[in-house]
Amino acid sequence: KAAFMNFISDKEWKSIEPVSSWFGPSSWLMSSTSALFQLSMWIRHVHDYFTENLGIPVWGSYAIFGLATLFSGLILGLVSEAL
């Protein structure tokens, strides 16, 4: 606590270089990273719903997500070829 108080009172924070705009909280890179974390949490909630509420075995949930990944890749590939 004392070191932090000295950091503030002695204005040592002025000597620290600011964070690069790439790593700033509002940059597109950090926003994308946040979106990926939110997606992973949503996938985890869906997995829990499948296994706990619907009674699907864990391997069945993994199979559903695997098939969803395959089909979404197939659809994205077909759309990109059509363009």
Side-chain angles (χ1 to χ4, degrees), residues 28-79:
W28 68 271
L29 179 64
M30 290 297 130
S31 296
S32 301
T33 303
S34 173
L36 286 175
F37 281 122
Q38 289 175 353
L39 176 65
S40 70
M41 290 306 297
W42 179 79
I43 290 172
R44 180 66 187 175
H45 288 299
V46 171
H47 171 73
D48 289 342
Y49 177 76
F50 284 167
T51 57
E52 294 172 6
N53 295 356
L54 299 181
I56 297 174
V58 173
W59 64 266
S61 177
Y62 290 156
I64 291 170
F65 283 114
L67 289 172
T69 302
L70 280 172
F71 285 124
S72 64
L74 176 65
I75 290 170
L76 287 173
L78 289 172
V79 168

Side-chain angles (χ1 to χ4, degrees), residues 6-37:
N6 289 337
F7 179 78
I8 299 298
S9 63
D10 296 339
K11 297 185 181 180
E12 294 176 18
W13 53 270
K14 288 186 176 183
S15 65
I16 295 177
E17 191 172 322
V19 175
S20 170
S21 64
W22 282 93
F23 298 109
S26 61
S27 71
W28 68 271
L29 179 64
M30 290 297 130
S31 296
S32 301
T33 303
S34 173
L36 286 175
F37 281 122

